Amino acid sequence: MSSLRTDNDTWDIASSVGATAVMVAAARAAETDRPEPLIRDPYAKILVADAGTGAWEYMLDDEFVAKVAETDSEIASMFEHMGNYQAVRTHFFDAFFTAAADAGIRQVVILASGLDSRAFRLPWPAGTTVFEIDQPKVLEYKATTLALHDVGPTADRREVAVDLRQDWPTALVDAGFDTTKPTAWLAEGLLMYLPAESQDRLFTQITELSAAGSRVAAESMGIHAEDRRERMRERFTALTAQFDVEPMDITELTYEDPDRADVAVWLDAHGWGAAKVDSQDEMRRLGRFVEIADSDGQSFSTFVTAERV
């Protein structure tokens, strides 16, 4: 269970859960600069540049990563693993949206969208509406930053500035969401920041809003050994102290609920037909798996997709 989260906490892009979006965008920027990238996000570096979150921006600094490798090779391997994981995850969910669009779905909802740039970088078919739900300050930062660089969306993008713990379904409908149309939903980088009961409520609300033929994709987190989590916290703390980088411990923001529902099982039981892919298997399939010495052998997550029947 998180020690920093409260029922009514809020954040901007440089604090708490909001800052994790910068980490993800930094990973996308780094991947984009690789010789043969899995994904291309030309806007990720723009979004990271002025975010002011300290540690995560160093993911774009090759000299910093090289110094880390000299100090702690296992941490360097973990950085590589984390970057590869983000690239593979983005690639998987990009493909989900491509398949949904090919199936004729023209209504998209990205939950807790953070610095997700799919509304700007994916080639959406004409008539597609992309709804982005997140905290008001997060959406404001993204829209303002991209507008300053003359970046516009490739679909009808609509912001829904509301906390997912509030009445977001009403806010979504008020923004023009049509409950009679099939929808492609995405919960990427979200569920681990919700308590178990909030996860169930979220999928109940999605189900109530979804017409037949709707699709949903989610990143479902596993429970990992606390002793390993503590060892990694200690090593990252030492590393950030050595390089005078402000530390950030994601585990302080997440909820490790042992009774959290298996997303695929939950969806199968509530009117969806679900499938899931182990993230390690997907990383191996794409040639991006990096072995980490201090590992509990479990995948970081499972990628789940489902269709409303």
Side-chain angles (χ1 to χ4, degrees):
M1 183 70 71
S2 169
S3 62
L4 294 182
R5 304 296 307 285
T6 61
D7 290 342
N8 297 307
D9 56 342
T10 60
W11 50 83
D12 57 18
I13 203 62
S15 62
S16 187
V17 177
T20 66
V22 180
M23 174 195 71
V24 176
R28 293 200 307 270
E31 176 66 23
T32 299
D33 285 344
R34 290 177 65 129
E36 296 182 4
L38 278 178
I39 58 99
R40 287 181 172 83
D41 185 344
Y43 311 123
K45 190 174 292 186
I46 294 171
L47 291 166
V48 172
D50 297 319
T53 56
W56 298 129
E57 286 136 76
Y58 281 88
M59 291 183 69
L60 301 179
D61 187 339
D62 291 338
E63 290 185 6
F64 174 76
V65 175
K67 289 178 181 178
V68 169
E70 294 172 1
T71 302
D72 189 329
S73 61
E74 290 184 21
I75 288 291
S77 293
M78 178 163 287
F79 275 173
E80 183 182 2
H81 182 89
M82 289 169 57
N84 284 353
Y85 172 82
Q86 296 294 342
V88 168
R89 183 180 80 170
T90 301
H91 181 271
F92 183 90
F93 292 124
D94 281 0
F96 163 78
F97 279 130
T98 297
D102 288 347
I105 293 177
R106 297 294 181 265
Q107 186 165 251
V108 172
V109 179
I110 302 176
L111 300 155
S113 58
L115 296 184
D116 186 302
S117 63
R118 291 184 175 96
F120 300 87
R121 65 179 178 81
L122 292 186
W124 299 101
T128 300
T129 301
V130 178
F131 296 91
E132 293 191 13
I133 304 178
D134 212 321
Q135 296 264 356
K137 291 181 179 179
V138 174
L139 290 173
E140 180 184 6
Y141 170 82
K142 177 164 61 177
T144 300
T145 301
L146 292 179
L148 286 173
H149 290 81
D150 295 322
V151 177
T154 54
D156 178 6
R157 175 179 176 267
R158 302 188 189 183
E159 295 184 354
V160 185
V162 63
D163 193 305
L164 286 171
R165 294 166 296 186
Q166 299 169 355
D167 185 11
W168 65 267
T170 295
L172 180 62
V173 171
D174 288 346
F177 179 85
D178 189 342
T179 59
T180 68
K181 293 182 178 179
T183 304
W185 302 84
L186 178 61
E188 178 188 29
L190 166 60
L191 301 184
M192 61 183 172
Y193 301 111
L194 299 177
E197 65 274 13
S198 296
Q199 175 179 302
D200 290 349
R201 182 168 64 252
L202 178 74
F203 283 110
T204 297
Q205 292 167 316
I206 289 172
T207 300
E208 292 170 347
L209 291 166
S210 294
S214 291
R215 301 184 182 192
V216 63
E219 175 191 27
S220 179
M221 316 310 297
I223 302 296
H224 300 280
E226 178 56 33
D227 59 342
R228 177 176 180 267
R229 285 157 55 88
E230 181 57 34
R231 289 195 301 275
M232 296 315 299
R233 277 193 290 264
E234 292 173 355
R235 293 174 71 173
F236 272 112
T237 297
L239 190 70
T240 53
Q242 177 180 347
F243 290 101
D244 193 27
V245 177
E246 183 179 353
M248 183 174 183
D249 184 0
I250 292 180
T251 64
E252 294 288 351
L253 304 174
T254 61
Y255 292 86
E256 287 279 307
D257 288 345
D259 57 348
R260 185 185 296 275
D262 180 301
V263 174
V265 172
W266 192 99
L267 289 169
D268 275 335
H270 291 83
W272 300 78
K276 58 184 180 180
V277 176
D278 184 284
S279 63
Q280 283 190 8
D281 290 344
E282 187 68 359
M283 292 178 76
R284 287 189 174 96
R285 185 182 75 82
L286 295 171
R288 289 301 191 87
F289 182 74
V290 177
E291 193 69 51
I292 300 173
D294 188 8
S295 172
D296 55 15
Q298 298 180 33
S299 283
F300 182 70
S301 72
T302 301
F303 303 144
V304 179
T305 57
E307 185 170 354
R308 189 86 162 97
V309 296

